[in-house]
Amino acid sequence: PALGLFLFTIARDPLRIIILIAGAFFWLVSLLLSSLIWFIAVKASDPRDEPLQKGLLIFGVMFSVLLQEAFRFLYYKLLRKAIEGLVALSEDGCSPISIQQMAYVAGVGFGLMSGAFSMINLLADALGPGTVGIHGDSQLYFLTSAFMTMVLIFLHTFWGILFFHGCEHRRWWEIMAVVVMHLTVSGSTFCNPLYVGSLVPSYLLMAAAAAWAYLLSGGSAQNLRRFLLCK
Amino acid sequence: GGCRAPLPAWWGLLRGLLLAVLAAVSCQGNSVERKIYIPLNKTAPCVRLLNATHQIGCQSSISGDTGVIHVVEKEEDLNWVLADGPHPPYMILLDGNLFNRRVMLQLKGTSRVSGLAVAIAKPSPPQGFSPGLKCPNDGFGVYSKDYGPQFAHCNKTVWNPVGSGLSYEDFDFPIFLLEDANETQVIKQCYQDHNVPRDGSGPEYPLCAMQLFSHMHAVTSTVTCMRRSSLQSTFSINPEVVCDPLLDYNVWSTLQPINSSGKVDPEKEVIIVATRIDSHSFFWNIAPGAESAVSSFVTHLAAAEALHKVSDVHLLQRNIMFTFFQGETFDYIGSSRMVYDMEKDKFPLRLDNIHSFVELNQVALRNDSILWMHTDPVSRMNESVEVQVRNLLHILSNSSMGASVTLQEAGYSQPLPPSSFQRFLRVRHIPGVVLTDHKTAFQNRYYQSMYDTPENIRMQYPEGLSPEETLEYVTDTAKSLAEVATVVARALYRLAGGANNTSAIQADPKTVSRMLYGFLIKMNNSWFQSIIKPDIKGILGDVPQHYVAVSSPVNTTYLVQYVLANLTGTVVNLTKEECLNPEKTPSSEKEMYEYAWVQGSLDPNSTSRVPYCVRSTVHLSKALSPAFELRQWGSTEYSTWTESRWKEIRARIFLVASKELEIITLVVGIAILIFSLLATYFINAKADVLFSIPRDPGAVAY
């Protein structure tokens, strides 16, 4: 799906590509910082203390989520400044790209980078002859990881739209809702290997976020019906 | 949150710093990989060795061989692998007691086997196990169709009847030895959990599998691989050598010092005492060689020590050379090289100087304390040689009076057992004798195998001793070897022309037991540490193995050299500078002696050592087969053994999924891809329908 989104909606416009790459980079920096904090915490603590390590991991994940959202906010600020620059540069006093489009592209950028990080090392190990399971893990590890990654990419896209809309119209509860949703999804992965505990809530949240983003972007139920019937 | 200015300039620097920090700290190993694979660390591979005409050993594919694990503990289990099992190819975990020629040839002939892991049998198989040949080093000794044809090819006496010749077979699948019983248990547990057939039908996926990597670069024979290596070395900028000749160093030392860079006077006669110091087994670098090598060279070292303590050594009419040949297992590499050097005048001694030859071969398993004296019946047909051999045997028998060792002759009808003496006989009829504990076939039922361990020579220590106490404890084996050493030392004294009473010549059982401990159980002990050079103390590993490898000198050679220097040399009062550069000191007589700066023993209360200088007559001489010097790689006269090179050798176990699951995953992925492409295209095309407000986001371009 990410490939499809990229090909059809972003690849044509160089400005969108730039925003996409920059968004991906911002997510990457946020991950780097949060992993540095987690790494220091792990090294400073006793590696044999299992509950402590698990607690540190949970703390690391939550901290990472907060940092990612903070970077999303930073990116929003940057893009706001960029729009002023683009308006100054353009011939007709209008920016060639609106903040909503930027929001969508930024979300896809975050999602792509997050998906890449989730999947690349799994794919590298999946190339070998073995599969997960000798220590008792589930065999469906690769499949569920792939589905989880897909839902996260979608979620990042929709959160981008919601977040920027909230910042734009000063609706702090929208921003809080995005942060809470992100925390929920990340926290649900701790239910693994009980995959139903993490995949099902994530997909439900994705549906909710999709609907909300659609409504905010100017869609409505009639439009949806017309689209489906006109097919 | 507050408004922030665009990123300040120092942010880039901080990012670079973060990346550097993260890159510098070590990675703990990918956790997904740890979920999938369990590496097997304590394994030994079987590698490929080549000689002039054949290749022996094992080979795996370049990206490893994978197979479903099957545990074979009795013969019936083999049928599953060979015929019944539904998921070939199989990777067999073989019990050590089934590792014999019959089973291996069955596995060799089938394509349903992709590899083998052998679990070492504890205790050793009671019927004996020897992967060596029935007639070791046949064709490279002295007996051939031109010399003693009735003795050639073991026609008269089969020396190693237990020998199955497994080491000399060529397998096209990898074979590994599992040394650690815990790892074997992990594999068996995985097999029990996943691979055992239930209710008569086949086991279901996921199945436990193993992958072995041991790809060897050399093929066909030494001729081919050396030709390819020399082409590479000559013409390529980055040469890829595919094989290396087996080489190392012989250790030799003389009782009276001789000029090692000059030539010895032809009038001066020398008695050569020889033993081999290497062994082999089916697997690479596993060669405990307790009875086949260690027992003989430890006895030899003890005899050398006893002789050096005699007071009138410098008055003896003949000199004695203590020689330790390396590489004898592989068609007499060390001794053939020394004979060649002597013929070509590259060695201080010439063949004319040799008065007689005494060899010690496998002396630990004596029955009723009888030590057998073997001679060559063909050369004894010459009258002058016969007289000298008679004299030699007579002196040896006399020296055993009063000792608890009985010396008996093996007789005219017996040829010589495989020994370094045979190489000397090929060029000159020297009178000589080979001392062994067997009259006809070997007493050693584990000749050149991984079971030739201290238990094989009945070395037993009481429970609960610390390593230091174990080092000093004198076992019965040590005492019996010391008796042999005493007899040999007394006989050599007499042979060299000594006239005094020999009852004072005694080998020290304490030294023998320390050497046995060091060479068989733990190389890294306090005595060995105190007698080696300071900068090579890293070489003392855990379990001693005596394989002549391709990088030289190996641990065994180093240690024999330094032990001999310690036992036969003298401590001299030189500083470190003088000791390391003896040519600068006027009175050092550098050609006669070798000087070594050894690190000394640990002070009891401190952590520092007191090093000192040892002067001895111990020298190393290169033990590379003359075939490689002469570049005659297809030679049938000299040993042509080489070892293949390889890149990585490792083993791991994991689960494999069924083909169905893999196909399903792929199909689902492709389906989602196509569906999402289509959906995105249609949403993009009909975006104006979906999003009615002009100022719209998402998928529309203005």
Side-chain angles (χ1 to χ4, degrees), chain B residues 124-144:
Chain B
S124 314
Q127 71 275 20
F129 172 74
S130 172
L133 294 168
K134 282 196 160 61
C135 201
N137 291 348
D138 186 31
F140 288 87
V142 69
Y143 300 112
S144 63

Side-chain angles (χ1 to χ4, degrees), chain A residues 61-62 182-191:
Chain A
V61 166
M62 299 302 155
H182 197 164
L183 282 172
T184 317
V185 169
S186 298
S188 74
T189 60
F190 284 107
C191 279

Side-chain angles (χ1 to χ4, degrees), chain B residues 453-475:
Chain B
T453 51
E455 286 78 34
N456 191 22
I457 56 173
R458 307 181 200 136
M459 254 174 76
Q460 276 167 341
Y461 290 97
E463 299 281 317
L465 291 180
S466 75
E468 275 307 307
E469 289 165 357
T470 327
L471 176 67
E472 300 295 334
Y473 182 84
V474 179
T475 52

Side-chain angles (χ1 to χ4, degrees), chain B residues 490-510:
Chain B
R490 288 179 184 170
L492 287 171
Y493 178 76
R494 279 271 172 269
L495 269 174
N500 292 343
N501 196 343
T502 56
S503 55
I505 302 179
Q506 287 272 4
D508 185 8
K510 288 210 198 62

Side-chain angles (χ1 to χ4, degrees), chain A residues 135-207:
Chain A
H135 293 290
D137 306 299
S138 158
Q139 261 216 94
L140 300 172
Y141 184 78
F142 289 128
L143 263 179
T144 49
S145 303
F147 277 110
M148 196 69 204
T149 309
M150 186 170 81
V151 82
L152 254 178
I153 297 179
F154 277 130
L155 277 171
H156 270 292
T157 313
F158 301 133
W159 287 335
I161 299 174
L162 292 172
F163 195 92
F164 277 41
H165 186 261
C167 280
E168 196 69 19
H169 298 272
R170 296 277 183 273
R171 291 201 198 148
W172 306 118
W173 58 275
E174 277 184 8
I175 299 175
M176 283 318 296
V178 167
V179 175
V180 165
M181 266 200 276
H182 197 164
L183 282 172
T184 317
V185 169
S186 298
S188 74
T189 60
F190 284 107
C191 279
N192 289 343
L194 185 65
Y195 291 122
V196 70
S198 70
L199 278 179
V200 169
S202 307
Y203 272 88
L204 290 175
L205 275 176
M206 182 192 88

Side-chain angles (χ1 to χ4, degrees), chain A residues 1-9 12 16 25-26 29 32-33 35-36 39 42-43 70-71 73-74 77-78 81 95-101 104 121-122 125-135 137 139-143 147 150 161 169 172 213-214 216-220 223-224 226-227 230-231, chain B residues 1-7 11 14-15 18-19 21-22 25-26 28 30-38 66 190 194 205-206 208-209 211 652-658 661-662 664-665 668 672-673 676-684 686-693 695-702:
Chain A
L3 183 67
L5 287 175
F6 176 74
L7 273 180
F8 287 115
T9 64
R12 301 259 174 83
R16 294 185 192 184
F25 183 72
F26 266 72
V29 175
L32 233 47
L33 277 177
S35 64
L36 184 68
F39 191 77
V42 163
K43 284 293 175 206
F71 269 77
F73 183 74
L74 278 178
K77 283 290 170 192
L78 184 69
K81 290 272 192 269
S95 146
I97 186 167
S98 74
I99 193 74
Q100 287 89 348
Q101 287 167 342
Y104 162 74
N121 69 332
L122 247 70
D125 282 321
L127 284 175
T131 187
V132 174
I134 200 162
H135 293 290
D137 306 299
Q139 261 216 94
L140 300 172
Y141 184 78
F142 289 128
L143 263 179
F147 277 110
M150 186 170 81
I161 299 174
H169 298 272
W172 306 118
Y214 179 58
L216 283 182
S217 315
S220 65
N223 291 348
L224 194 58
R226 271 172 41 210
F227 169 76
C230 270
K231 276 252 334 100
Chain B
C3 270
R4 291 208 199 183
L7 305 171
W11 191 245
L14 185 61
R15 274 202 311 258
L18 284 175
L19 282 168
V21 166
L22 283 171
V25 297
S26 61
Q28 263 179 333
N30 193 349
S31 57
V32 178
E33 197 182 347
R34 272 186 285 160
K35 273 188 202 285
I36 302 180
Y37 301 108
I38 297 183
T66 316
C190 186
H194 297 105
Y205 278 101
C208 202
Q211 188 176 32
R652 56 188 183 177
I653 62 170
F654 45 86
L655 290 186
V656 282
S658 62
L661 185 61
E662 291 178 356
I664 287 175
T665 313
V668 165
I672 292 186
L673 174 69
S676 63
L677 282 173
L678 283 174
T680 315
Y681 174 72
F682 279 117
I683 292 179
N684 200 14
K686 302 272 190 208
D688 49 349
V689 175
L690 273 174
F691 302 99
S692 53
I693 302 176
R695 251 194 40 192
D696 47 8
V700 143
Y702 264 129

